[in-house]
């Protein structure tokens, strides 16, 4: 199983770069960041420094979107980084929940994501692409061997189907084994129906991880540090509920029940511990969606996820124990999974 580190690009950028270097030393293979131009610093500028200061780490956004950047600019940025550092990027893409809403625009449609994925992947891999209006372009400066995989974040049934049909990877932002099994199954079924080998779709699960000593006090603290994640997931679930309702069976009831008490969301606190808009998230959801507990508990849950076909676990390291979590994973968790 591969491991990734996910950070927000809060200033100073030097701290983000330092944590990514620490992650590589501890056996992590991927370095991810959020991409929301209003809320955080520009990630692609920081990726260049992460790549320059690491040897093997693969970097990318979790996730970018097709609405805040033109597609040829996105592809060119990835291709430039790959030309400089040797195919060490991956394009994670989604609807743009925070990036679009903070800028006063609705998230992108699935049709737009589909079109963008095709253009970005083709251009970033040195191929021609139609920008959608009949304009066909190709980057003349890309050399042989260029490659840009595109991984899609999804929750709802149509998005899961599209990920299986079109994406190189699937990003699932929660670590509940039951829901993971359901969603990975939907992606694989769609891949098979589209004539693809489902093993060609990389499965990445991303969620907060907090390592404790096993005491009730530390578990309670860890829950409070990671409760924000249930609120973030709740934004996406709320969109799904508004489209399909709660009784349609289109999404599992386990994913929709907990947002009944959700009242609103202020993106000023997005992805941050102590988010006041996530008090509705119960401890049960925090425990199910995140990885909290002793190293042994982390290993047991990750083994269950690996058995479901998860290829990478990406640690959302957004709490008060960033370095400690990276080191604990390097010392105990990663060797137990890959030793």
């Amino acid at each position: 199983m591969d491991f990734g580190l996910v950070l927000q690009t809060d200033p100073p950028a030097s701290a983000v770069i330092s944590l990514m270097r620490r992650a590589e030393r501890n056996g992590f293979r991927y370095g991810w960041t959020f991409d929301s131009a209003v809320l955080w610093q520009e990630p692609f500028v920081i990726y260049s420094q992460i790549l320059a200061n690491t040897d093997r780490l693969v970097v990318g956004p979790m996730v970018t979107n097709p609405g805040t950047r033109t597609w040829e600019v996105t592809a060119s940025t990835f291709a430039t980084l790959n030309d400089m550092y040797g195919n060490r990027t991956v394009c994670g893409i989604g609807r743009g929940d925070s990036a679009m809403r903070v800028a006063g625009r609705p998230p992108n449609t699935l049709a737009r994501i589909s079109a963008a994925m095709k253009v970005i992947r083709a251009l970033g891999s040195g191929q021609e692409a139609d920008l959608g209006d009949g304009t066909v372009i190709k980057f003349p400066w890309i050399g042989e061997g260029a490659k840009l995989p595109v991984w899609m974040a999804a929750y709802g049934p149509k998005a899961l189907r599209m990920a299986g049909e079109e994406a190189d990877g699937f990003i699932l932002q929660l670590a509940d084994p039951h829901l993971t099994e359901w969603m990975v199954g939907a992606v694989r079924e769609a891949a098979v129906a589209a004539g693809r080998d489902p093993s060609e779709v990389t499965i990445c699960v991303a969620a907060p991880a907090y390592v404790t000593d096993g005491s009730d006090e530390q578990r309670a603290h860890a829950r409070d540090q990671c409760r924000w994640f249930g609120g973030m997931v709740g934004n996406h679930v709320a969109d799904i509920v508004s489209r399909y309702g709660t009784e349609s069976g289109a999404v599992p009831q386990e994913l929709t029940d907990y947002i009944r008490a959700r009242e609103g969301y202020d993106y000023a606190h997005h992805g941050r511990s102590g988010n006041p808009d996530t008090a509705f998230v119960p401890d049960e959801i925090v425990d199910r969606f995140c990885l909290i507990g002793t190293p042994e508990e982390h290993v047991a849950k990750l083994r269950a996820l690996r058995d479901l076909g998860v290829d990478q676990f990406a640690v959302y390291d957004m709490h008060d124990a960033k370095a400690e979590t990276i080191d604990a994973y390097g010392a105990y968790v990663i060797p137990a999974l890959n030793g």
Side-chain angles (χ1 to χ4, degrees):
M1 176 181 274
D2 285 333
F3 287 83
L5 181 71
V6 190
L7 299 172
Q8 293 165 337
T9 51
D10 288 313
S14 58
V16 176
I17 296 161
S18 177
L19 286 170
M20 290 297 183
R21 292 180 65 189
R22 191 183 198 114
E24 183 178 64
R25 292 196 301 270
N26 276 282
F28 288 74
R29 289 197 56 215
Y30 286 78
W32 303 92
T33 75
F34 281 25
D35 176 18
S36 192
V38 175
L39 296 177
W40 299 289
Q41 292 185 329
E42 172 54 40
F44 287 94
V45 176
I46 299 172
Y47 295 157
S48 186
Q49 286 298 302
I50 294 171
L51 290 166
N53 284 276
T54 57
D55 297 318
R56 300 171 304 280
L57 209 65
V58 176
V59 304
M62 190 176 282
V63 291
T64 193
N65 74 88
T68 55
R69 310 172 196 271
T70 61
W71 306 344
E72 67 270 26
V73 170
T74 298
S76 180
T77 305
F78 278 111
T80 300
L81 291 171
N82 283 338
D83 184 65
M84 293 171 68
Y85 299 106
N87 286 346
R88 289 171 55 199
T89 70
V90 56
C91 176
I93 195 167
R95 296 179 64 222
D97 175 52
S98 65
M100 296 294 287
R101 285 184 165 127
V102 168
R105 301 190 293 273
N108 294 272
T109 64
L110 291 179
R112 186 170 175 81
I113 296 173
S114 175
M117 285 200 299
K118 294 179 177 67
V119 169
I120 292 168
R121 181 194 293 117
L123 291 176
S125 301
Q127 303 167 19
E128 288 186 346
D130 187 329
L131 297 180
D133 59 359
T135 302
V136 178
I137 63 169
K138 179 181 180 181
F139 298 150
W141 47 268
I142 289 187
E144 294 292 329
K147 184 179 180 181
L148 178 59
V150 179
W151 297 6
M152 179 182 167
Y155 288 109
K158 291 183 179 179
L160 293 170
R161 184 168 64 249
M162 197 172 90
E165 292 172 346
E166 302 180 24
D168 301 302
F170 163 50
I171 297 171
L172 173 58
Q173 296 173 90
L174 55 81
D176 177 73
H178 174 72
L179 293 173
T180 298
E181 182 176 21
W182 185 86
M183 292 186 182
V184 170
V187 170
R188 286 175 167 167
E189 288 176 9
V192 171
R196 304 181 67 192
D197 180 350
S199 67
E200 293 179 355
V201 183
T202 302
I203 307 297
C204 175
V205 160
Y210 202 109
V211 180
T212 75
D213 62 6
S215 67
D216 290 342
E217 293 79 9
Q218 280 206 6
R219 183 175 292 274
H221 177 75
R223 283 170 173 161
D224 286 341
Q225 287 290 303
C226 298
R227 199 174 306 277
W228 63 266
F229 184 67
M232 187 186 82
V233 174
N235 293 335
H236 302 288
V237 175
D239 285 344
I240 296 170
V241 169
S242 68
R243 178 178 293 270
Y244 297 100
T246 58
E247 309 299 330
S248 66
V251 291
Q253 188 173 349
E254 298 92 333
L255 190 59
T256 59
D257 279 354
Y258 86 97
I259 69 164
R260 294 182 190 278
R262 178 181 181 270
E263 295 181 354
Y265 194 84
D266 182 354
Y267 280 90
H269 309 288
H270 187 58
R272 301 190 186 280
S273 59
N275 186 332
D277 296 322
T278 61
F280 73 92
V281 180
D283 287 349
E284 177 196 1
I285 289 295
V286 180
D287 289 344
R288 284 172 48 194
F289 284 13
C290 306
L291 273 77
I292 291 175
T294 63
E296 292 78 13
E297 289 177 292
H298 285 247
V299 169
K301 190 166 186 177
L302 287 167
R303 282 177 173 156
L305 291 169
R306 184 179 62 183
D307 289 345
L308 294 173
V310 174
D311 300 298
Q312 178 184 156
F313 176 62
V315 175
Y316 275 119
D317 205 18
M318 297 155 200
H319 45 58
D320 63 358
K322 293 180 177 67
E324 294 86 349
T325 300
I326 294 169
D327 291 347
Y329 263 65
Y332 305 108
V333 179
I334 294 176
L337 270 294
N338 295 336

